[in-house]
Amino acid sequence: MLRRAPGQYWMLVAMWVRSSLAYPASFLLMLVSQALITGTDFIAVLLMFSHLKSFGGFSLAEMALLYGTASMTLGLADLATGSVERIGQRIRSGDLDVWLIRPVPAFLQAVTDNFALRRLGRPLQALLVMVVALGNLQIDWTAPKVGLLAISLISGSVIFGAIFVLGAAFQFVSIDSAELANSFTYGGQQLTQYPLSIFGKNIVRAVTFVVPLAFVNYYPVLYVLDKPAPLGLPGWIGLLAPAVAVVMIALAALAWRGGLRRYRSTGS
Amino acid sequence: MGVYWAIAVRSFRRFSTYRIATLSGAFTNTVFGFIFCGVYLTLWHSSPGLGGYDVSDALTFVWLQQGLLAPIGIFGATTTMELGERVRTGEIAVDLYRPTQLMIWWLSVDAGRAWFQLLTRGGAPLLVGAIVFDLNFPSSVGQWLAVVVGLAFGILVSFGVRYLVALSGFWITDSRGLESLAMVLSLFFSGTILPLVVFPGWIGAVARATPWAATLQVPIDIWLGRNPGGTTSGLGFQLFWIVVLFLAGRLATVFATRKVVIAGG
């Protein structure tokens, strides 16, 4: 069953993409406004730097790299799995019952539910910021640095994706709590776009050991920029990002299965 | 008049049934509040007195902002999105049969929603913020009164904009594109991404003149007693936009109604 999953995922995605492209002008407008909405966060950073030269020990270009990677990873996770947060609605309406009798795993149907290609707006603006940031930074590029930056974009997306799924799994328990997950997904992006040390030691501990948001981009970027890690952690801690992503997938898979096992139809 | 009051009361009750949704929303606002406090503390420590705010003004701004996002409808609000949906699907025709004013009907629905969200999503984060940080509160009865009026005006201005966006569906079939564009403007010019006092030079001047400034930034400045030119000028600015937007809304309603008759018969 697992072997067929990628094909089924693309089939469902392609279906929704075709439907969203049915009105090209409307789609383009939504793509652009999506990029603008998420881009306002970076404009806030630019406005801040009109008053200061360094923020928590980061220059504007360094902040831009931090912002770009945070926004890119959340954007990709949101694109691929963000729809899963609608599960509460699907439980309430009884649509989940229909999904369960189809020969495609309910999880695939949940993550592709109303797949919104316009969400590409965020990764696109993030890419732009990242390119400009990298062009303005003097980095002593080595193979591990290039590799880590590239891999952390994937592992960071996976960490955010797992958080999306964990939030959705929680909705099996508490159906109306879709917005709760926003604290960790959109809140996580908001947090990781800043140098985490400005939030104090306890927050850094929490996002390292409890909800591992610091591994999304902060530790990898510190490694790339040759900056020391906080809390006396070793400089190579960023290299652990892929391992953290694997642990998060396992947790999310467990939670999702647990949630689904617990599911009882609303009967409506 | 009694009809509209009844609609507002029922709208209030309707929103009060989504308890867990409201609670998780308030929780999210609180988390964002803490994140922004970390950011603003860094910002105001490196440039003290930025934009005429002291540190405690900046922190108060954060908690008021987080509490007011939902009631004012900075990201849009369920009620006006439903109106847009009804225009799109044609169900709006039913609304037009009713012996009531379309705009006042939806204003009542929105008012009930805003009042409920103000109590819950506004109150909870502010309470948490006030316990953890040293926040500023209005110091006189007069100032409290001005805050109440300023908040009500802010919601009215926001409704005025959202109503026009929803009605745009009569002309462009699908108001959702415009809805998201309106959200960009609202995020940028209301003081949501950063207080408008921090915007430099002409960008700040432009931002301060837009209707979105009247939704969030002005009520908060009235609370802080920081409105340039005083509280009265802040309220006057809001009132100006209410009059402009409501006249436009009234006109749009009249034209839209005529359009429906021509198209649908």
Side-chain angles (χ1 to χ4, degrees):
Chain A
M1 200 165 88
L2 218 60
R3 214 153 25 89
R4 281 167 49 203
Q8 291 169 329
Y9 181 85
W10 287 118
M11 182 190 71
L12 291 166
V13 165
M15 179 186 81
W16 286 112
V17 168
R18 273 199 300 278
S19 93
S20 63
L21 291 179
Y23 301 97
S26 175
F27 171 76
L28 204 68
L29 192 61
M30 288 211 253
L31 187 75
V32 170
S33 51
Q34 196 77 25
L36 288 174
I37 289 170
T38 55
T40 52
D41 271 345
F42 185 64
I43 295 175
V45 172
L46 288 178
L47 289 173
M48 285 183 199
F49 270 87
S50 71
H51 299 284
L52 33 91
K53 286 205 173 61
S54 113
F55 189 95
F58 276 59
S59 70
L60 177 56
E62 292 169 336
M63 277 280 280
L65 182 61
L66 209 50
Y67 168 85
T69 47
S71 193
M72 172 68 82
T73 47
L74 179 82
L76 291 177
D78 190 26
L79 182 69
T81 60
S83 300
V84 79
E85 71 182 4
R86 297 157 60 97
I87 195 76
Q89 263 165 274
R90 297 310 195 183
I91 293 172
R92 202 183 307 113
S93 66
D95 288 340
L96 187 57
D97 293 1
V98 182
W99 290 358
L100 288 172
I101 57 171
R102 284 189 192 144
V104 177
F107 177 72
L108 285 184
Q109 296 181 62
V111 289
T112 53
D113 183 22
N114 246 310
F115 180 88
L117 193 61
R118 63 165 186 279
R119 293 198 190 125
L120 212 52
R122 186 193 278 274
L124 284 178
Q125 61 89 9
L127 183 69
L128 188 74
V129 174
M130 266 181 69
V131 168
V132 174
L134 289 173
N136 282 288
L137 283 168
Q138 264 85 47
I139 298 173
D140 220 353
W141 286 107
T142 59
K145 282 184 186 174
V146 176
L148 182 61
L149 191 63
I151 291 170
S152 73
L153 289 181
I154 300 167
S155 58
S157 309
V158 169
I159 294 173
F160 270 133
I163 295 173
F164 269 111
V165 175
L166 283 166
F170 185 67
Q171 289 189 56
F172 282 106
V173 183
S174 172
I175 292 170
D176 243 354
S177 61
E179 223 182 324
L180 198 64
N182 290 355
S183 328
F184 299 97
T185 51
Y186 299 105
Q189 189 269 329
Q190 193 64 238
L191 196 73
T192 49
Q193 77 182 51
Y194 296 104
L196 291 176
S197 55
I198 67 162
F199 297 107
K201 284 203 168 76
N202 284 326
I203 299 290
V204 176
R205 278 189 199 107
V207 295
T208 304
F209 301 112
V210 186
V211 186
L213 289 167
F215 289 94
V216 165
N217 66 336
Y218 183 55
Y219 290 144
V221 165
L222 286 183
Y223 182 84
V224 169
L225 296 177
D226 284 323
K227 286 180 185 289
L231 305 175
L233 291 163
W236 47 263
I237 189 163
L239 297 169
L240 293 180
V244 172
V246 171
V247 173
M248 289 299 285
I249 293 182
L251 280 178
L254 272 177
W256 177 264
R257 277 162 197 226
L260 208 55
R261 204 169 301 132
R262 200 180 176 283
Y263 169 70
R264 276 194 206 164
S265 174
T266 47
S268 56
Chain B
M1 198 57 215
V3 181
Y4 301 116
W5 176 253
I7 294 166
V9 170
R10 272 155 194 80
S11 175
F12 179 95
R13 279 200 209 137
R14 174 189 155 197
F15 281 90
S16 69
T17 55
Y18 306 126
R19 289 203 191 95
I20 297 173
T22 308
L23 204 69
S24 56
F27 178 80
T28 300
N29 288 139
T30 309
V31 170
F32 272 88
F34 281 112
I35 295 174
F36 280 122
C37 279
V39 176
Y40 287 10
L41 278 172
T42 311
L43 188 56
W44 261 272
H45 275 309
S46 32
S47 39
L50 182 59
Y53 282 11
D54 58 27
V55 170
S56 116
D57 284 334
L59 297 182
T60 309
F61 185 96
V62 168
W63 294 100
L64 289 175
Q65 174 211 55
Q66 284 305 312
L68 293 175
L69 288 176
I72 293 179
I74 297 295
F75 295 96
T78 337
T79 44
T80 36
M81 280 179 200
E82 267 171 23
L83 172 60
E85 176 85 35
R86 287 178 81 78
V87 173
R88 190 155 57 245
T89 57
E91 281 167 334
I92 191 76
V94 180
D95 296 355
L96 293 171
Y97 286 151
R98 298 195 183 105
T100 46
Q101 295 271 1
L102 187 75
M103 191 171 177
I104 307 179
W105 171 288
W106 283 96
L107 177 61
S108 313
V109 177
D110 199 52
R113 173 202 64 80
W115 180 229
F116 174 73
Q117 293 187 330
L118 197 61
L119 291 178
T120 51
R121 293 187 66 160
L126 187 62
L127 192 69
V128 175
I131 291 171
V132 180
F133 298 98
D134 185 20
L135 303 185
N136 288 342
F137 283 86
S139 50
S140 66
V141 180
Q143 205 188 347
W144 274 112
L145 225 64
V147 166
V148 172
V149 177
L151 275 177
F153 279 5
I155 292 164
L156 287 176
V157 171
S158 159
F159 171 79
V161 176
R162 288 181 281 118
Y163 181 79
L164 282 174
V165 171
L167 283 204
S168 74
F170 276 108
W171 291 273
I172 59 172
T173 359
D174 190 345
S175 58
R176 278 174 298 186
L178 207 61
E179 229 168 60
S180 49
L181 217 55
M183 189 163 108
V184 182
L185 296 171
S186 157
L187 278 176
F188 197 71
F189 292 122
S190 65
T192 306
I193 60 157
L194 211 58
L196 296 185
V197 291
V198 175
F199 284 35
W202 64 269
I203 310 176
V206 170
R208 282 202 152 274
T210 63
W212 293 283
T215 61
L216 189 75
Q217 180 73 44
V218 171
I220 295 181
D221 275 347
I222 292 175
W223 177 294
L224 296 173
R226 294 279 183 207
N227 201 68
T231 300
T232 324
S233 93
L235 292 174
F237 173 68
Q238 288 181 303
L239 201 59
F240 164 76
W241 275 113
I242 292 172
V243 171
V244 170
L245 289 165
F246 277 54
L247 279 177
R250 179 82 197 113
L251 270 176
T253 313
V254 170
F255 285 128
T257 314
R258 266 193 221 149
K259 205 171 156 64
V260 166
V261 174
I262 296 164

